[in-house]
């Protein structure tokens, strides 16, 4: 018999009394991914672009990917209006470009190198991308504050010799560093030398052995007995 799982009490409370929603940002920041810049040419013939780390493959045939983009972004509106898009996967030295296109700066395309090849879905960031996919929008689903844009890929361009830029835990990482093979462990430092204990049978040195005063000889019959002096006892 099948069993239907029941929502947890906290989830039911969220749905029934309007309690604060769970914040999934810490969860998703713990899921590292590559970094891309989504670009297109608007109906006004101006380039549009935004940084995106939320994309995934959907199908191999037809070749389809999905981009999850903030609905209120001007780039999303331009993508939906034109139905064309380019996905620029950034290489590991392109962090400044990622920050630039995430900043919302109006002059972002004036501050980075780009070109528009014949048949491209949007500007190609030639100096910052290690791979570019051109495609056309086949469907868009708005959910909450984001829109899932399904894109059928029509062309893929790969730039050999470049490795991906990664993002997770709210910080960047280089693919080369993340996949580097660790070297051999460093040798342990030598232990400090411990002096050997002195031999019990060794003769004491003249400088370390306190001098011993001979006991006074017995008084002679002709000599008076010496006076006895009280002195402090010396520990040998």
């Amino acid at each position: 018999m099948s069993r239907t799982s029941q929502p947890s009490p906290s989830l039911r409370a969220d749905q029934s009394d309007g309690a604060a929603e769970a914040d999934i940002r810490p969860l998703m920041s713990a899921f590292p991914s590559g970094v891309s810049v989504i670009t297109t040419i608007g109906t006004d013939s101006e380039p549009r672009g935004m940084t995106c780390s939320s994309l995934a493959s959907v199908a191999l045939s037809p070749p389809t990917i999905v981009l999850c983009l903030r609905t209120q972004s001007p780039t999303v509106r331009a993508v939906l209006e034109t139905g064309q898009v380019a996905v620029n996967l950034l290489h590991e030295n392109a962090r400044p470009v990622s920050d630039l296109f995430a900043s919302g700066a109006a002059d972002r395309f004036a501050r980075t190198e780009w070109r528009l090849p014949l048949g491209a879905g949007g500007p190609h960031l030639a100096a910052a991308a290690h791979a570019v996919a051109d495609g056309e929008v086949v469907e868009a689903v708005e959910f909450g504050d984001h829109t899932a844009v399904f894109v059928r890929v029509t062309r893929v361009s790969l730039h050999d010799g470049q490795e991906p830029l990664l993002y997770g835990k709210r910080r960047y990482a280089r693919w080369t560093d993340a996949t580097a093979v660790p070297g051999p462990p460093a040798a342990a430092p030598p232990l400090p030398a411990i002096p050997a204990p002195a031999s019990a049978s060794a003769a004491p040195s003249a400088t370390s052995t306190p001098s011993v005063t001979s006991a006074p000889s017995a008084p002679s019959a002709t000599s008076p007995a010496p006076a006895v002096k009280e002195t402090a006892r010396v520990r040998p």
Side-chain angles (χ1 to χ4, degrees), residues 10 26 30 37 39-40 46 48 51-52 54 57 82 84 89 99 104 130 136 150-151 158 172 174 188 208 212 214:
S10 60
V37 171
T39 60
T40 192
E46 292 295 325
R48 301 282 190 275
T51 300
C52 172
S54 181
S57 62
T82 64
Q84 301 293 318
L89 302 185
D99 290 337
H130 69 90
E136 54 188 21
F150 293 83
V151 177
L158 301 178
Y172 292 95
R174 292 162 47 92
S208 61
V212 179
S214 302

Side-chain angles (χ1 to χ4, degrees), residues 71-135:
T71 301
Q72 297 303 317
S73 168
T75 299
V76 177
R77 292 197 296 270
V79 166
L80 297 181
E81 288 171 356
T82 64
Q84 301 293 318
V85 66
V87 180
N88 296 266
L89 302 185
L90 301 187
H91 61 65
E92 61 184 4
N93 296 317
R95 174 179 174 176
V97 175
S98 174
D99 290 337
L100 174 63
F101 279 82
S103 69
D107 61 344
R108 68 194 78 173
F109 282 96
R111 294 164 56 184
T112 189
E113 181 182 344
W114 64 278
R115 57 190 179 88
L116 190 65
L118 183 65
H124 288 199
L125 307 183
H130 69 90
V132 183
D134 294 297

Side-chain angles (χ1 to χ4, degrees), residues 10-11 13-15 17-23:
S10 60
L11 180 58
D14 289 346
Q15 293 174 338
D17 60 13
E21 295 178 329
D23 185 0

